Amino acid sequence: MENENRDMYLGMVLDERYELQECIGSGGMAVVYRATDKRLNRQVAVKIMRQSLASNEKFRRRFQTESRAIAMLNHPNIVSVYDVSRSDSIEYIVMELLSGETLKQYLRPRGRLGVREMLNFSIQIAGALSHAHNKGIVHRDIKPQNLIVIDGGTVKVADFGIADLQSEVPDVEN
């Protein structure tokens, strides 16, 4: 991760609603925080575009494409989106907060998956991707770091950051 301060948003409340509490992950384009939705009194994940990229139109379009793509999807094996917004020039996506680990983390202590578990995970991932493809969305970055394994063996596809939208998608209102 570049030397950008991951804690710079801690304690901030976005749109008088989402109180950022803890950094839970980061990638090349964004930082993800655990937050409280004060209106609905629930824990959520808030993905904030890196400040260093916010002035780059290419990265802003990519982030907005991700927002539009995942907002179109409703599938049990795809991370749910609750809100997309812009506050004080901060672009962010509000998603369900998952208690689990990436497939990469899941595999580390286990090594290889057994045949049944591998088939179970593969069927879930294929179902999620099929749903996305039927909506005209190609993920383009399926890897263990973008697959979340939650309790009970459910797999959720995350991070549509470089998704390709094959169909025309209406712009998201800010």
Side-chain angles (χ1 to χ4, degrees):
M1 177 178 137
E2 63 187 53
N3 205 9
E4 192 169 312
N5 186 351
R6 293 173 11 155
D7 297 334
M8 66 187 289
Y9 298 117
L10 291 180
M12 183 180 286
V13 178
L14 301 174
D15 289 334
E16 298 179 9
R17 181 172 183 178
Y18 305 108
E19 183 177 358
L20 305 178
Q21 298 168 328
E22 172 189 10
C23 179
I24 58 174
S26 64
M29 203 162 101
V31 179
V32 181
Y33 295 87
R34 182 179 53 79
T36 298
D37 179 340
K38 294 168 62 168
R39 190 174 302 156
L40 297 177
N41 194 28
R42 69 176 170 187
Q43 296 292 294
V44 295
V46 177
K47 183 174 188 175
I48 298 177
M49 182 178 197
R50 289 188 180 281
Q51 191 175 37
S52 61
L53 301 177
S55 61
N56 183 314
E57 188 58 34
K58 176 184 171 188
F59 286 105
R60 286 173 48 99
R61 274 196 315 272
R62 186 191 286 176
F63 194 79
Q64 291 165 355
T65 296
E66 176 183 12
S67 302
R68 288 192 303 269
I70 56 179
M72 293 172 52
L73 303 174
N74 182 17
H75 190 276
N77 298 108
I78 297 176
V79 175
S80 296
V81 171
Y82 300 140
D83 195 8
V84 175
S85 191
R86 184 180 197 176
S87 174
D88 299 325
S89 73
I90 298 170
E91 304 250 2
Y92 66 93
I93 303 168
V94 180
M95 303 172 286
E96 71 178 303
L97 180 65
L98 300 173
S99 59
E101 56 191 343
T102 67
L103 182 58
K104 182 177 181 176
Q105 294 165 329
Y106 183 85
L107 289 171
R108 199 169 285 135
R110 292 169 180 81
R112 292 178 127 164
L113 296 177
V115 172
R116 285 186 184 195
E117 191 171 34
M118 183 269 307
L119 285 172
N120 177 35
F121 287 6
S122 297
I123 289 167
Q124 292 179 64
I125 296 163
L129 295 177
S130 176
H131 176 75
H133 291 181
N134 288 336
K135 298 283 188 178
I137 300 166
V138 179
H139 188 284
R140 298 190 331 163
D141 196 22
I142 292 296
K143 59 187 179 186
Q145 296 89 320
N146 291 338
L147 302 169
I148 311 298
V149 181
I150 58 177
D151 295 333
T154 299
V155 177
K156 295 227 178 196
V157 176
D159 198 351
F160 282 74
I162 63 170
D164 183 31
L165 276 65
Q166 301 293 317
S167 60
E168 189 61 36
V169 179
D171 286 335
V172 174
E173 295 289 327
N174 288 326

